[in-house]
Each structure stands twice: as C-alpha cells, then as structure tokens.
Amino acid sequence: MPGPVKRRSLLAFSALVLTATPRLSGHAELAVEPTMGEPAEWADFKRIYMTEAGRVVDTGNKDQSHSEGQGWAMLLATAFDDEATFDRVHNWTRTTMRRPYDTLSAWSWKPNRSRPVEDMNNATDGDLCMAWALYRAAKRWKRPELMEEARAIARDLHRLCVREVDGRAVLLPAAYGFEHSGYVVVNPSYYVFPAFPALAALMPEGRWMDLHRHGLELLREARFGRWGLPADWVRVAMGERPKPAWGWPPRFSYDAVRVPLYLAWAGLGDEPAAQAALSFWHSSPVAMPAWTEFGTNGVSPYPADHGMRAVAQLVGQPRARAEELPQVRQAPHYYAAALTLLSRMAAFERPPMA
C-alpha cells in the first residue's frame, strides 16, 4: 500500500481509537453528534418507505422488513434529531423482531404471513447498527435506559458473532450458519467501521477495535478480479488467503457496495477497497456498472442504481457536502434510497480531511 494511503488510514484509525476511549462513568462526557440539515430528505424517506407504526418497507423485495433497515432508520433518526420517529422504529422492531432468548433481532419480517418472522437467525449488521443508534440516542436525548439496551446488544453480539481465525478477530454475519469445519464465511459489508468506536465504548472488554483493525487487514487481503475488489461473501480459513465464499456468486455487487460507504464514513476512503470500487465504477465510458463477477471480469448488463451512484460520489469527492449528493426521492426503491441517505449522513459525519 502506498505511503500516503497508509499514513492517512493510520491517522483516521488513531482518531477512532481515541474516540472510543471508554469514559462511561458519566454520559455527559460523551460528545453528541451535530444534527444534519436537509430535513426534507429524511421526510421523503419516511413518507415513501416507512409506515406510521415504524416499519421500514423494502419496496424492492416484496415489502419485507429487515433488521438492517430498522437499524439504519434508527441511526438516521438520531442524525436528524427525530426522537419521535426513533421511538416508533425502535418500539416496532423490539415488539415484532426481537428474539425471545437474547437482545438481538430476527433478520427478516414478512407481511401477510401467519408467522411474519419465519427465521429467528439474526443479521449482525442490523444488530450492530441498532446498538450504535441506541448509543447515539442515549447521548442525544439523555436517556440512560437506551444506553443500557445498547450495551446489552453489544454483549450478545460479541458473544454470538465474534470469533477468532488464525489470531484474527472476525465478525460472523449471524449467530449460526456461518461457522464450518476449518473456516468461516464473512460478509465484508457487515463491518460497520464508523460504529466500532461506539461498540468499544459500550463494551471496553470486547474486541471491537480488534475487529476494526483486523477488518481493514482482511479487506486489504480479500481483493479479487481485475479491479481488486472485495467480494459480497468471503471464506476465511485457517492458514489460507481469503477467497470468495462457495454458495454465492463471486461478485462485488449489492452487498459489497457498502464496504466503500462505511470506509468513507469512518474517514478511510483512501483504503484500497474503497479506491478499487471507485476505479471499477469509473471503468465504463458509457454507464457506471452495478456489479462485476470475478471469474470472467464481466460486468452487469444494466447500470448501477441511484444508491450506488451516491456511494461512488461520496468516495470520489472526499470534500463533497451532504447536500451535494443525490436525493432520496429520485431513488427507484428502498435499498437505493437507504444508500443515498446513508451516503449523505456519511458525508456529514466523516472526519474532515487534513
């Protein structure tokens, strides 16, 4: 990795470690994030993709709801200082998706079913974002009960979804189904880098900053195809280099697009995985491709959607302001809209460039 890239990444990482220094004896010591402008963008997202009860509707996937979307909505509510919406989303999620035997949430809720929750497995990124959102909400609105709930989720996540492979902490995508004899499967887009300092503050005895550091190491090794991109799903085995996981298309696509989003949000947009994504997105003189398959280096026959373009602009324009990124109402479906608004949030919150 070139010197300037390494220097900037280390500076950003050092800042995150300092931010994560646990000082939870008094919540007043913890800084509160500034409030985002552009409330019309948040209003559009709520109007189009959220029910009055607080359910986030995945319009591109049979109107299901996912813990990922609920966690993102809770995060966005803290960013826009919208306590009422936060409470609606939080209460709906806790009432309908919370697992009965821990503080994690089932990954999927399906409408028009006698049993809307058919699979009680969790999705680690959804729970991680919920814990981060609860942490932020507790600070913003001075509600210590939310801090305690965030801490409980962090502990259950750590117990069920953090493992070690070859001396490296890894984040499992869920509590079960991804550990196999001699290897595990990870989803690099579940490494929510800007959230790890908050999880470390909630649970100082945990390995959250190890996950931050080892996650960056994994992304530097797990690069595939012509552009050296992260895969949606990665096999991590003892004594082997990471490789695309069996059972999923070997692609950089709709999952891995969140890798450069979270890197840029954490001030790590110079990391190789983020810059490789930018090179890929700029590879076509006609239209930005949505995905590439590593075996053939072929690209999607259709262009990237609105949300992917928002992430590309976030990474490619490190000084871009939130209001300069694409707008929510132009997105064709929930996922593109969520990526768009999260990219705006990332542009607003990422550390300033030196």
Side-chain angles (χ1 to χ4, degrees):
M1 183 169 55
V5 173
K6 185 174 184 179
R7 257 196 317 277
R8 188 169 298 176
S9 298
L10 287 173
L11 286 170
F13 176 70
S14 299
L16 287 167
V17 171
L18 291 172
T19 304
T21 301
R23 295 184 299 158
L24 293 180
S25 56
H27 296 156
E29 293 179 299
L30 300 168
V32 176
E33 292 83 359
T35 302
M36 282 185 68
E38 301 291 313
E41 293 297 307
W42 176 227
D44 283 341
F45 185 86
K46 291 190 293 181
R47 175 177 54 83
I48 301 169
Y49 301 107
M50 195 181 301
T51 70
E52 185 61 30
R55 180 169 85 87
V56 179
V57 180
D58 186 346
T59 58
N61 194 8
K62 300 180 181 179
D63 289 348
Q64 297 180 39
S65 294
H66 306 283
S67 59
E68 152 211 285
Q70 300 301 120
W72 285 346
M74 289 165 63
L75 273 176
L76 290 161
T78 68
F80 286 99
D81 197 16
D82 186 351
E83 188 174 5
T85 298
F86 177 93
D87 283 339
R88 285 197 296 274
V89 177
H90 176 219
N91 290 336
W92 185 89
T93 308
R94 184 170 53 183
T95 301
T96 63
M97 300 181 75
R98 179 64 56 85
R99 301 183 344 159
Y101 32 80
D102 53 40
T103 60
L104 307 185
S105 294
W107 72 278
S108 175
W109 186 95
K110 299 177 181 179
N112 306 316
R113 302 288 181 95
S114 58
R115 290 180 55 214
V117 175
E118 297 174 335
D119 179 359
M120 290 305 297
N121 206 8
N122 72 310
T124 300
D125 63 331
D127 290 309
L128 201 157
C129 286
M130 286 184 211
W132 185 24
L134 286 159
Y135 171 85
R136 293 167 59 117
K139 293 190 296 174
R140 180 175 289 283
W141 299 310
K142 298 178 172 59
R143 293 172 58 180
E145 78 281 4
L146 299 182
M147 191 70 77
E148 291 309 310
E149 185 177 350
R151 187 174 290 112
I153 293 173
R155 287 173 176 159
D156 281 338
L157 267 178
H158 195 278
R159 175 173 58 89
L160 295 169
C161 301
V162 178
R163 297 291 184 267
E164 183 172 304
V165 178
D166 269 357
R168 179 179 290 172
V170 296
L171 189 66
L172 298 179
Y176 57 88
F178 295 92
E179 292 183 271
H180 306 279
S181 178
Y183 74 96
V184 300
V185 172
V186 301
N187 186 319
S189 74
Y190 285 19
Y191 283 71
V192 187
F193 289 101
F196 286 137
L199 275 290
L202 287 166
M203 187 186 173
E205 71 277 18
R207 301 195 65 184
W208 299 108
M209 297 316 292
D210 285 344
L211 284 168
H212 188 290
R213 182 172 66 257
H214 296 161
L216 291 178
E217 292 173 1
L218 174 64
L219 283 172
R220 291 167 191 160
E221 294 177 12
R223 301 178 61 207
F224 310 105
R226 172 183 170 187
W227 292 278
L229 291 159
D232 290 338
W233 297 90
V234 173
R235 169 190 163 102
V236 180
M238 297 284 291
E240 298 180 9
R241 289 189 65 84
K243 60 184 68 174
W246 302 328
W248 289 270
R251 291 178 177 175
F252 170 85
S253 64
Y254 291 96
D255 276 284
V257 66
R258 294 175 299 195
V259 171
L261 165 65
Y262 291 140
L263 287 172
W265 196 337
L268 298 166
D270 279 341
E271 280 289 312
Q275 290 300 306
L278 200 60
S279 296
F280 165 64
W281 286 326
H282 290 166
S283 64
S284 171
V286 180
M288 186 176 128
W291 50 260
T292 179
E293 190 158 299
F294 302 130
T296 64
N297 292 316
V299 302
S300 59
Y302 47 83
D305 65 29
H306 187 80
M308 290 182 170
R309 291 197 296 273
V311 176
Q313 188 171 338
L314 171 75
V315 177
Q317 299 178 25
R319 297 185 187 277
R321 299 190 302 273
E323 59 269 24
E324 296 172 340
L325 269 62
Q327 295 179 308
V328 166
R329 65 174 177 269
Q330 298 168 336
H333 48 69
Y334 148 78
Y335 190 58
L339 289 180
T340 298
L341 199 49
L342 290 168
S343 294
R344 282 174 164 257
M345 186 174 172
F348 183 74
E349 294 188 351
R350 62 183 164 186
M353 292 186 65

